[in-house]
Amino acid sequence: MRLDKFLADCGTGTRSEVKKLIRSGAVRVIGLDKISPDTKIDEKSAEVYLNGEPIGYKKYVYLMLNKPENCLSATQDRYKTVVTDFVPSEFKHFDVFPIGRLDIDTVGLCILTNDGGLAHRLLSPARHIPKTYLAEVDGALSDEDVKAFESGMDLGDFITKPSRLEIISAAENKSLSKVTIFEGKFHQIKRMFKSRGREVTHLKRIAMNRLLLDGNLSEGEIRELTTDELELLTYDTE
Ligand code: URA
């Protein structure tokens, strides 16, 4: 692999930035006296240093975004903000995409990655990966609703798998609840509540598999997952 591509893939800068770094002498490759942006290295074994710090090659990147409202779960759109608009410049060249889709008005946990294999495994209907949401609805939820979510609902074009509804608070005109579903059909949670005569007034995803949304991340903020968080996300998907 070319040295400039290697450094860019490691997240040290854009291709033109790393070319400048190489030419400025900030980069050292053990065993090579002369290097240039097109120097070929073996990315698995080369010992590369940037300003004296060792650089490790990264093939995949995993980002956690607290998705805001008015933002599409897409990689591009002519008019609307998309989730990839929040990707910091050092990760741009990874060409990440969102794992699954949240509605434009749904906020919360959105994972962006370039790891297509993981995305496929997390979205596979056969794996029943749990996704948890906080849902605010317009009316009083009751134990009858909990039972209906548990038994599976006929939504016309499909019957939902048993899901979990936990009522956090219920008042005459507003209830707050936690919902866990094990599939991800279009508008699923809104449609489930609708079939119980309720409108969802606010929806936020707070967990995917065992990974929780970082409560310190404000809407629109994004950061790389830690190794432990990646394990929670990929739990039981191998
Ligand atoms: N269910 C919905 O209705 N909308 C979402 O964005 C996610 C789950």
PDB file of all heavy atoms in Angstrom, residues 8-14 58 60-64 84 86-96 112 114 222-225:
ATOM      1  N   ALA A   8      -3.490   8.172   5.592  1.00  0.00           N
ATOM      2  CA  ALA A   8      -4.848   8.724   5.504  1.00  0.00           C
ATOM      3  C   ALA A   8      -5.853   7.730   6.081  1.00  0.00           C
ATOM      4  O   ALA A   8      -6.738   8.099   6.857  1.00  0.00           O
ATOM      5  CB  ALA A   8      -5.193   9.053   4.058  1.00  0.00           C
ATOM      6  N   ASP A   9      -5.691   6.443   5.762  1.00  0.00           N
ATOM      7  CA  ASP A   9      -6.592   5.409   6.279  1.00  0.00           C
ATOM      8  C   ASP A   9      -6.498   5.292   7.798  1.00  0.00           C
ATOM      9  O   ASP A   9      -7.431   4.845   8.454  1.00  0.00           O
ATOM     10  CB  ASP A   9      -6.280   4.040   5.662  1.00  0.00           C
ATOM     11  CG  ASP A   9      -6.808   3.935   4.241  1.00  0.00           C
ATOM     12  OD1 ASP A   9      -7.394   4.921   3.757  1.00  0.00           O
ATOM     13  OD2 ASP A   9      -6.624   2.871   3.615  1.00  0.00           O
ATOM     14  N   CYS A  10      -5.354   5.654   8.342  1.00  0.00           N
ATOM     15  CA  CYS A  10      -5.181   5.603   9.800  1.00  0.00           C
ATOM     16  C   CYS A  10      -5.833   6.802  10.475  1.00  0.00           C
ATOM     17  O   CYS A  10      -5.808   6.924  11.698  1.00  0.00           O
ATOM     18  CB  CYS A  10      -3.705   5.571  10.173  1.00  0.00           C
ATOM     19  SG  CYS A  10      -2.918   4.036   9.742  1.00  0.00           S
ATOM     20  N   GLY A  11      -6.345   7.727   9.689  1.00  0.00           N
ATOM     21  CA  GLY A  11      -7.043   8.882  10.267  1.00  0.00           C
ATOM     22  C   GLY A  11      -6.122  10.029  10.628  1.00  0.00           C
ATOM     23  O   GLY A  11      -6.481  10.895  11.418  1.00  0.00           O
ATOM     24  N   THR A  12      -4.919  10.059  10.048  1.00  0.00           N
ATOM     25  CA  THR A  12      -3.996  11.150  10.413  1.00  0.00           C
ATOM     26  C   THR A  12      -4.221  12.405   9.559  1.00  0.00           C
ATOM     27  O   THR A  12      -3.614  13.430   9.835  1.00  0.00           O
ATOM     28  CB  THR A  12      -2.519  10.696  10.268  1.00  0.00           C
ATOM     29  OG1 THR A  12      -2.345  10.196   8.956  1.00  0.00           O
ATOM     30  CG2 THR A  12      -2.166   9.622  11.260  1.00  0.00           C
ATOM     31  N   GLY A  13      -5.062  12.329   8.565  1.00  0.00           N
ATOM     32  CA  GLY A  13      -5.341  13.526   7.753  1.00  0.00           C
ATOM     33  C   GLY A  13      -5.825  13.125   6.376  1.00  0.00           C
ATOM     34  O   GLY A  13      -5.917  11.935   6.059  1.00  0.00           O
ATOM     35  N   THR A  14      -6.145  14.123   5.577  1.00  0.00           N
ATOM     36  CA  THR A  14      -6.560  13.846   4.203  1.00  0.00           C
ATOM     37  C   THR A  14      -5.322  13.437   3.407  1.00  0.00           C
ATOM     38  O   THR A  14      -4.184  13.609   3.878  1.00  0.00           O
ATOM     39  CB  THR A  14      -7.160  15.093   3.539  1.00  0.00           C
ATOM     40  OG1 THR A  14      -6.127  16.091   3.486  1.00  0.00           O
ATOM     41  CG2 THR A  14      -8.342  15.628   4.316  1.00  0.00           C
ATOM     42  N   LYS A  58      -5.808   1.178  10.421  1.00  0.00           N
ATOM     43  CA  LYS A  58      -7.205   0.958  10.767  1.00  0.00           C
ATOM     44  C   LYS A  58      -7.988   0.721   9.482  1.00  0.00           C
ATOM     45  O   LYS A  58      -7.939   1.544   8.579  1.00  0.00           O
ATOM     46  CB  LYS A  58      -7.722   2.228  11.429  1.00  0.00           C
ATOM     47  CG  LYS A  58      -8.658   1.957  12.565  1.00  0.00           C
ATOM     48  CD  LYS A  58      -9.352   3.194  13.026  1.00  0.00           C
ATOM     49  CE  LYS A  58      -8.464   4.148  13.758  1.00  0.00           C
ATOM     50  NZ  LYS A  58      -9.203   5.227  14.387  1.00  0.00           N
ATOM     51  N   TYR A  60     -11.414  -0.393   9.595  1.00  0.00           N
ATOM     52  CA  TYR A  60     -12.799   0.008   9.853  1.00  0.00           C
ATOM     53  C   TYR A  60     -12.865   1.075  10.930  1.00  0.00           C
ATOM     54  O   TYR A  60     -12.032   1.104  11.835  1.00  0.00           O
ATOM     55  CB  TYR A  60     -13.620  -1.194  10.323  1.00  0.00           C
ATOM     56  CG  TYR A  60     -13.755  -2.279   9.292  1.00  0.00           C
ATOM     57  CD1 TYR A  60     -13.416  -3.589   9.596  1.00  0.00           C
ATOM     58  CD2 TYR A  60     -14.247  -1.987   8.024  1.00  0.00           C
ATOM     59  CE1 TYR A  60     -13.550  -4.598   8.658  1.00  0.00           C
ATOM     60  CE2 TYR A  60     -14.385  -2.985   7.078  1.00  0.00           C
ATOM     61  CZ  TYR A  60     -14.034  -4.293   7.395  1.00  0.00           C
ATOM     62  OH  TYR A  60     -14.170  -5.275   6.463  1.00  0.00           O
ATOM     63  N   VAL A  61     -13.894   1.880  10.847  1.00  0.00           N
ATOM     64  CA  VAL A  61     -14.126   2.874  11.882  1.00  0.00           C
ATOM     65  C   VAL A  61     -15.584   2.768  12.328  1.00  0.00           C
ATOM     66  O   VAL A  61     -16.459   2.399  11.532  1.00  0.00           O
ATOM     67  CB  VAL A  61     -13.731   4.281  11.367  1.00  0.00           C
ATOM     68  CG1 VAL A  61     -14.689   4.796  10.327  1.00  0.00           C
ATOM     69  CG2 VAL A  61     -13.626   5.271  12.495  1.00  0.00           C
ATOM     70  N   TYR A  62     -15.830   3.023  13.612  1.00  0.00           N
ATOM     71  CA  TYR A  62     -17.174   2.902  14.190  1.00  0.00           C
ATOM     72  C   TYR A  62     -17.455   4.170  14.984  1.00  0.00           C
ATOM     73  O   TYR A  62     -16.737   4.466  15.943  1.00  0.00           O
ATOM     74  CB  TYR A  62     -17.251   1.675  15.113  1.00  0.00           C
ATOM     75  CG  TYR A  62     -16.804   0.409  14.431  1.00  0.00           C
ATOM     76  CD1 TYR A  62     -15.461   0.008  14.469  1.00  0.00           C
ATOM     77  CD2 TYR A  62     -17.707  -0.388  13.730  1.00  0.00           C
ATOM     78  CE1 TYR A  62     -15.033  -1.145  13.818  1.00  0.00           C
ATOM     79  CE2 TYR A  62     -17.293  -1.546  13.071  1.00  0.00           C
ATOM     80  CZ  TYR A  62     -15.953  -1.906  13.120  1.00  0.00           C
ATOM     81  OH  TYR A  62     -15.538  -3.051  12.468  1.00  0.00           O
ATOM     82  N   LEU A  63     -18.464   4.922  14.562  1.00  0.00           N
ATOM     83  CA  LEU A  63     -18.759   6.206  15.193  1.00  0.00           C
ATOM     84  C   LEU A  63     -20.153   6.184  15.822  1.00  0.00           C
ATOM     85  O   LEU A  63     -21.077   5.575  15.268  1.00  0.00           O
ATOM     86  CB  LEU A  63     -18.712   7.329  14.144  1.00  0.00           C
ATOM     87  CG  LEU A  63     -17.423   7.453  13.337  1.00  0.00           C
ATOM     88  CD1 LEU A  63     -17.597   8.475  12.218  1.00  0.00           C
ATOM     89  CD2 LEU A  63     -16.261   7.859  14.233  1.00  0.00           C
ATOM     90  N   MET A  64     -20.268   6.866  16.968  1.00  0.00           N
ATOM     91  CA  MET A  64     -21.567   7.009  17.621  1.00  0.00           C
ATOM     92  C   MET A  64     -22.015   8.458  17.444  1.00  0.00           C
ATOM     93  O   MET A  64     -21.310   9.378  17.849  1.00  0.00           O
ATOM     94  CB  MET A  64     -21.429   6.701  19.116  1.00  0.00           C
ATOM     95  CG  MET A  64     -22.684   6.988  19.913  1.00  0.00           C
ATOM     96  SD  MET A  64     -22.436   6.959  21.719  1.00  0.00           S
ATOM     97  CE  MET A  64     -22.223   5.242  22.051  1.00  0.00           C
ATOM     98  N   THR A  84     -24.171  11.770   7.798  1.00  0.00           N
ATOM     99  CA  THR A  84     -22.733  11.816   7.511  1.00  0.00           C
ATOM    100  C   THR A  84     -22.187  13.251   7.491  1.00  0.00           C
ATOM    101  O   THR A  84     -20.978  13.450   7.505  1.00  0.00           O
ATOM    102  CB  THR A  84     -22.407  11.099   6.181  1.00  0.00           C
ATOM    103  OG1 THR A  84     -23.321  11.545   5.187  1.00  0.00           O
ATOM    104  CG2 THR A  84     -22.506   9.593   6.317  1.00  0.00           C
ATOM    105  N   PHE A  86     -22.168  15.021   9.922  1.00  0.00           N
ATOM    106  CA  PHE A  86     -21.582  15.221  11.250  1.00  0.00           C
ATOM    107  C   PHE A  86     -20.225  14.522  11.412  1.00  0.00           C
ATOM    108  O   PHE A  86     -19.595  14.621  12.459  1.00  0.00           O
ATOM    109  CB  PHE A  86     -22.559  14.718  12.334  1.00  0.00           C
ATOM    110  CG  PHE A  86     -23.825  15.522  12.367  1.00  0.00           C
ATOM    111  CD1 PHE A  86     -24.927  15.138  11.622  1.00  0.00           C
ATOM    112  CD2 PHE A  86     -23.905  16.691  13.106  1.00  0.00           C
ATOM    113  CE1 PHE A  86     -26.091  15.894  11.622  1.00  0.00           C
ATOM    114  CE2 PHE A  86     -25.057  17.451  13.121  1.00  0.00           C
ATOM    115  CZ  PHE A  86     -26.151  17.053  12.370  1.00  0.00           C
ATOM    116  N   VAL A  87     -19.809  13.774  10.386  1.00  0.00           N
ATOM    117  CA  VAL A  87     -18.552  13.015  10.485  1.00  0.00           C
ATOM    118  C   VAL A  87     -17.360  13.989  10.470  1.00  0.00           C
ATOM    119  O   VAL A  87     -17.224  14.791   9.541  1.00  0.00           O
ATOM    120  CB  VAL A  87     -18.441  12.002   9.315  1.00  0.00           C
ATOM    121  CG1 VAL A  87     -17.084  11.311   9.316  1.00  0.00           C
ATOM    122  CG2 VAL A  87     -19.563  10.978   9.405  1.00  0.00           C
ATOM    123  N   PRO A  88     -16.497  13.945  11.509  1.00  0.00           N
ATOM    124  CA  PRO A  88     -15.342  14.846  11.542  1.00  0.00           C
ATOM    125  C   PRO A  88     -14.394  14.584  10.375  1.00  0.00           C
ATOM    126  O   PRO A  88     -14.333  13.463   9.855  1.00  0.00           O
ATOM    127  CB  PRO A  88     -14.640  14.479  12.870  1.00  0.00           C
ATOM    128  CG  PRO A  88     -15.631  13.700  13.660  1.00  0.00           C
ATOM    129  CD  PRO A  88     -16.561  13.057  12.676  1.00  0.00           C
ATOM    130  N   SER A  89     -13.629  15.624   9.994  1.00  0.00           N
ATOM    131  CA  SER A  89     -12.830  15.520   8.773  1.00  0.00           C
ATOM    132  C   SER A  89     -11.828  14.361   8.814  1.00  0.00           C
ATOM    133  O   SER A  89     -11.574  13.729   7.798  1.00  0.00           O
ATOM    134  CB  SER A  89     -12.101  16.832   8.509  1.00  0.00           C
ATOM    135  OG  SER A  89     -11.246  17.115   9.580  1.00  0.00           O
ATOM    136  N   GLU A  90     -11.313  14.043  10.012  1.00  0.00           N
ATOM    137  CA  GLU A  90     -10.306  12.959  10.042  1.00  0.00           C
ATOM    138  C   GLU A  90     -10.898  11.595   9.714  1.00  0.00           C
ATOM    139  O   GLU A  90     -10.165  10.631   9.497  1.00  0.00           O
ATOM    140  CB  GLU A  90      -9.551  12.922  11.377  1.00  0.00           C
ATOM    141  CG  GLU A  90     -10.319  12.360  12.546  1.00  0.00           C
ATOM    142  CD  GLU A  90     -10.807  13.451  13.492  1.00  0.00           C
ATOM    143  OE1 GLU A  90     -11.225  14.530  13.001  1.00  0.00           O
ATOM    144  OE2 GLU A  90     -10.774  13.218  14.698  1.00  0.00           O
ATOM    145  N   PHE A  91     -12.245  11.483   9.707  1.00  0.00           N
ATOM    146  CA  PHE A  91     -12.874  10.203   9.382  1.00  0.00           C
ATOM    147  C   PHE A  91     -13.557  10.221   8.011  1.00  0.00           C
ATOM    148  O   PHE A  91     -14.121   9.222   7.599  1.00  0.00           O
ATOM    149  CB  PHE A  91     -13.921   9.840  10.448  1.00  0.00           C
ATOM    150  CG  PHE A  91     -13.352   9.635  11.823  1.00  0.00           C
ATOM    151  CD1 PHE A  91     -13.666  10.494  12.853  1.00  0.00           C
ATOM    152  CD2 PHE A  91     -12.492   8.585  12.083  1.00  0.00           C
ATOM    153  CE1 PHE A  91     -13.152  10.316  14.123  1.00  0.00           C
ATOM    154  CE2 PHE A  91     -11.959   8.390  13.345  1.00  0.00           C
ATOM    155  CZ  PHE A  91     -12.281   9.260  14.368  1.00  0.00           C
ATOM    156  N   LYS A  92     -13.523  11.356   7.325  1.00  0.00           N
ATOM    157  CA  LYS A  92     -14.275  11.495   6.068  1.00  0.00           C
ATOM    158  C   LYS A  92     -13.889  10.442   5.032  1.00  0.00           C
ATOM    159  O   LYS A  92     -14.745   9.909   4.338  1.00  0.00           O
ATOM    160  CB  LYS A  92     -14.061  12.888   5.455  1.00  0.00           C
ATOM    161  CG  LYS A  92     -14.820  13.991   6.169  1.00  0.00           C
ATOM    162  CD  LYS A  92     -16.267  14.087   5.709  1.00  0.00           C
ATOM    163  CE  LYS A  92     -16.924  15.309   6.340  1.00  0.00           C
ATOM    164  NZ  LYS A  92     -18.329  15.138   6.669  1.00  0.00           N
ATOM    165  N   HIS A  93     -12.585  10.164   4.934  1.00  0.00           N
ATOM    166  CA  HIS A  93     -12.133   9.260   3.870  1.00  0.00           C
ATOM    167  C   HIS A  93     -12.562   7.809   4.096  1.00  0.00           C
ATOM    168  O   HIS A  93     -12.402   6.971   3.224  1.00  0.00           O
ATOM    169  CB  HIS A  93     -10.610   9.339   3.740  1.00  0.00           C
ATOM    170  CG  HIS A  93      -9.928   8.856   4.973  1.00  0.00           C
ATOM    171  ND1 HIS A  93      -9.824   9.618   6.105  1.00  0.00           N
ATOM    172  CD2 HIS A  93      -9.362   7.673   5.264  1.00  0.00           C
ATOM    173  CE1 HIS A  93      -9.198   8.925   7.035  1.00  0.00           C
ATOM    174  NE2 HIS A  93      -8.908   7.745   6.552  1.00  0.00           N
ATOM    175  N   PHE A  94     -13.118   7.486   5.272  1.00  0.00           N
ATOM    176  CA  PHE A  94     -13.565   6.113   5.516  1.00  0.00           C
ATOM    177  C   PHE A  94     -14.900   5.810   4.817  1.00  0.00           C
ATOM    178  O   PHE A  94     -15.315   4.664   4.771  1.00  0.00           O
ATOM    179  CB  PHE A  94     -13.722   5.860   7.022  1.00  0.00           C
ATOM    180  CG  PHE A  94     -12.424   5.626   7.741  1.00  0.00           C
ATOM    181  CD1 PHE A  94     -11.855   6.617   8.521  1.00  0.00           C
ATOM    182  CD2 PHE A  94     -11.775   4.405   7.628  1.00  0.00           C
ATOM    183  CE1 PHE A  94     -10.667   6.400   9.188  1.00  0.00           C
ATOM    184  CE2 PHE A  94     -10.583   4.182   8.293  1.00  0.00           C
ATOM    185  CZ  PHE A  94     -10.023   5.174   9.068  1.00  0.00           C
ATOM    186  N   ASP A  95     -15.576   6.846   4.324  1.00  0.00           N
ATOM    187  CA  ASP A  95     -16.865   6.646   3.635  1.00  0.00           C
ATOM    188  C   ASP A  95     -17.859   5.852   4.468  1.00  0.00           C
ATOM    189  O   ASP A  95     -18.362   4.806   4.027  1.00  0.00           O
ATOM    190  CB  ASP A  95     -16.652   5.917   2.291  1.00  0.00           C
ATOM    191  CG  ASP A  95     -16.073   6.853   1.260  1.00  0.00           C
ATOM    192  OD1 ASP A  95     -16.318   8.064   1.368  1.00  0.00           O
ATOM    193  OD2 ASP A  95     -15.355   6.363   0.364  1.00  0.00           O
ATOM    194  N   VAL A  96     -18.131   6.345   5.645  1.00  0.00           N
ATOM    195  CA  VAL A  96     -19.047   5.621   6.529  1.00  0.00           C
ATOM    196  C   VAL A  96     -20.498   5.816   6.092  1.00  0.00           C
ATOM    197  O   VAL A  96     -20.827   6.753   5.363  1.00  0.00           O
ATOM    198  CB  VAL A  96     -18.881   6.077   8.005  1.00  0.00           C
ATOM    199  CG1 VAL A  96     -17.490   5.780   8.501  1.00  0.00           C
ATOM    200  CG2 VAL A  96     -19.231   7.554   8.178  1.00  0.00           C
ATOM    201  N   LEU A 112     -22.389   4.861  12.759  1.00  0.00           N
ATOM    202  CA  LEU A 112     -21.867   5.040  11.399  1.00  0.00           C
ATOM    203  C   LEU A 112     -20.592   4.227  11.276  1.00  0.00           C
ATOM    204  O   LEU A 112     -19.733   4.268  12.171  1.00  0.00           O
ATOM    205  CB  LEU A 112     -21.564   6.516  11.170  1.00  0.00           C
ATOM    206  CG  LEU A 112     -22.799   7.412  11.188  1.00  0.00           C
ATOM    207  CD1 LEU A 112     -22.468   8.789  11.697  1.00  0.00           C
ATOM    208  CD2 LEU A 112     -23.398   7.503   9.810  1.00  0.00           C
ATOM    209  N   ASN A 114     -17.874   1.891   8.186  1.00  0.00           N
ATOM    210  CA  ASN A 114     -17.600   1.408   6.833  1.00  0.00           C
ATOM    211  C   ASN A 114     -17.509  -0.122   6.840  1.00  0.00           C
ATOM    212  O   ASN A 114     -17.067  -0.718   5.872  1.00  0.00           O
ATOM    213  CB  ASN A 114     -16.294   2.018   6.293  1.00  0.00           C
ATOM    214  CG  ASN A 114     -15.113   1.721   7.197  1.00  0.00           C
ATOM    215  OD1 ASN A 114     -15.282   1.382   8.368  1.00  0.00           O
ATOM    216  ND2 ASN A 114     -13.907   1.853   6.669  1.00  0.00           N
ATOM    217  N   ILE A 222     -20.713  13.619  17.886  1.00  0.00           N
ATOM    218  CA  ILE A 222     -20.297  12.327  17.344  1.00  0.00           C
ATOM    219  C   ILE A 222     -18.913  12.008  17.881  1.00  0.00           C
ATOM    220  O   ILE A 222     -18.115  12.911  18.124  1.00  0.00           O
ATOM    221  CB  ILE A 222     -20.291  12.395  15.788  1.00  0.00           C
ATOM    222  CG1 ILE A 222     -20.049  11.023  15.156  1.00  0.00           C
ATOM    223  CG2 ILE A 222     -19.293  13.409  15.257  1.00  0.00           C
ATOM    224  CD1 ILE A 222     -20.398  10.991  13.664  1.00  0.00           C
ATOM    225  N   ARG A 223     -18.653  10.730  18.110  1.00  0.00           N
ATOM    226  CA  ARG A 223     -17.301  10.321  18.524  1.00  0.00           C
ATOM    227  C   ARG A 223     -17.092   8.857  18.158  1.00  0.00           C
ATOM    228  O   ARG A 223     -18.054   8.122  17.883  1.00  0.00           O
ATOM    229  CB  ARG A 223     -17.092  10.544  20.012  1.00  0.00           C
ATOM    230  CG  ARG A 223     -17.941   9.661  20.911  1.00  0.00           C
ATOM    231  CD  ARG A 223     -17.349   9.613  22.312  1.00  0.00           C
ATOM    232  NE  ARG A 223     -18.206   8.934  23.257  1.00  0.00           N
ATOM    233  CZ  ARG A 223     -18.294   7.610  23.369  1.00  0.00           C
ATOM    234  NH1 ARG A 223     -17.624   6.815  22.544  1.00  0.00           N
ATOM    235  NH2 ARG A 223     -19.077   7.064  24.283  1.00  0.00           N
ATOM    236  N   GLU A 224     -15.826   8.451  18.180  1.00  0.00           N
ATOM    237  CA  GLU A 224     -15.486   7.069  17.856  1.00  0.00           C
ATOM    238  C   GLU A 224     -15.883   6.170  19.038  1.00  0.00           C
ATOM    239  O   GLU A 224     -15.786   6.592  20.200  1.00  0.00           O
ATOM    240  CB  GLU A 224     -13.975   6.992  17.608  1.00  0.00           C
ATOM    241  CG  GLU A 224     -13.590   5.832  16.758  1.00  0.00           C
ATOM    242  CD  GLU A 224     -12.124   5.871  16.330  1.00  0.00           C
ATOM    243  OE1 GLU A 224     -11.391   6.810  16.692  1.00  0.00           O
ATOM    244  OE2 GLU A 224     -11.714   4.929  15.639  1.00  0.00           O
ATOM    245  N   LEU A 225     -16.313   4.942  18.746  1.00  0.00           N
ATOM    246  CA  LEU A 225     -16.613   3.998  19.818  1.00  0.00           C
ATOM    247  C   LEU A 225     -15.320   3.544  20.471  1.00  0.00           C
ATOM    248  O   LEU A 225     -14.294   3.424  19.802  1.00  0.00           O
ATOM    249  CB  LEU A 225     -17.300   2.738  19.273  1.00  0.00           C
ATOM    250  CG  LEU A 225     -18.712   2.822  18.722  1.00  0.00           C
ATOM    251  CD1 LEU A 225     -19.238   1.405  18.464  1.00  0.00           C
ATOM    252  CD2 LEU A 225     -19.653   3.535  19.668  1.00  0.00           C
TER     253      LEU A 225
END
